[in-house]
Amino acid sequence: VLLHSIKENIGYIVLMILSLALVRVLSDLGTVYYIISLFKIKIGSSIFPVAVFIMSVFTTLLMGNSFITFTFLTPLLLPIAGQLAGNTGLMMTIAGILEGGIAGEMLSPFSPTSVITSSIYKISSVRHIITQLPYVILALISATILGFLMVGSDISPWISYGAVLIFGLVVMFKKPIYKIMS
């Protein structure tokens, strides 16, 4: 059983090793410090988690698997986040990588989740993506604005919590999107 489990996960292990090797090469070249200087000068540390979130969504969308995104982006972006914004920036960067990976997997027609779901319900994976697209876009916009931008801009977290609560109540009592689309 253990050997079978190792065989199934060998691809992810190889990706993690390659990712760590890439981090080492980029570190030796000083890429991390260059990227940190760009963010400090150009846009500031409050936008970094938003950029990580969007980067994670698009990486997963193109790769089709959130585990690959987690494997590559985590060792590349955590050193930058730690030096750029401290512990809060580090936690927001981890959240951006994880949430972006999950959202990107929901948008990718060749992700394992979409393939399995579409095969169970006997529809094409593109049709499955189209049916959940309004909900995923709504979640992406709300996560970006109410989550990463508000928390990253030193606004009190209680304002963000209140905005999420109001947004949730509005969405909950609104007419369902699938009835509007029909």
Side-chain angles (χ1 to χ4, degrees):
V1 174
L2 179 64
L3 186 62
H4 180 69
S5 176
I6 292 173
K7 282 183 182 179
E8 285 184 5
N9 293 318
I10 195 77
Y12 295 118
I13 294 169
V14 169
L15 282 174
M16 184 60 114
I17 291 170
L18 290 174
S19 172
L20 292 173
L22 180 63
V23 168
R24 179 65 184 186
V25 169
L26 292 176
S27 175
D28 289 345
L29 292 174
T31 309
V32 170
Y33 298 110
Y34 176 71
I35 293 173
I36 290 170
S37 69
L38 284 178
F39 275 98
K40 282 186 178 177
I41 294 169
K42 303 276 184 188
I43 59 176
S45 63
S46 63
I47 304 295
F48 185 72
V50 176
V52 168
F53 175 66
I54 294 169
M55 185 186 328
S56 181
V57 169
F58 283 112
T59 303
T60 307
L61 179 65
L62 295 174
M63 299 293 253
N65 193 330
S66 59
F67 289 117
I68 295 172
T69 301
F70 301 157
T71 303
F72 278 121
L73 291 184
T74 302
L76 289 173
L77 297 174
L78 287 186
I80 298 169
Q83 293 210 1
L84 194 60
N87 287 339
T88 305
L90 197 63
M91 289 185 295
M92 291 295 290
T93 301
I94 292 170
I97 292 170
L98 295 176
E99 289 182 30
I102 292 167
E105 194 164 302
M106 289 181 174
L107 290 171
S108 178
F110 48 89
S111 73
T113 308
S114 297
V115 170
I116 290 171
T117 304
S118 62
S119 66
I120 288 173
Y121 291 106
K122 296 179 179 34
I123 58 172
S124 71
S125 58
V126 175
R127 177 70 181 151
H128 170 66
I129 297 301
I130 290 171
T131 57
Q132 69 181 11
L133 189 63
Y135 302 106
V136 175
I137 290 175
L138 183 66
L140 286 173
I141 292 170
S142 63
T144 303
I145 295 171
L146 299 176
F148 293 109
L149 281 178
M150 288 185 83
V151 173
S153 62
D154 294 332
I155 294 175
S156 172
W158 291 104
I159 295 173
S160 180
Y161 299 151
V164 169
L165 179 66
I166 292 169
F167 181 75
L169 290 172
V170 167
V171 170
M172 188 169 53
F173 292 112
K174 191 171 166 91
K175 192 173 187 179
I177 293 175
Y178 64 85
K179 288 184 181 179
I180 295 170
M181 292 175 59
S182 305

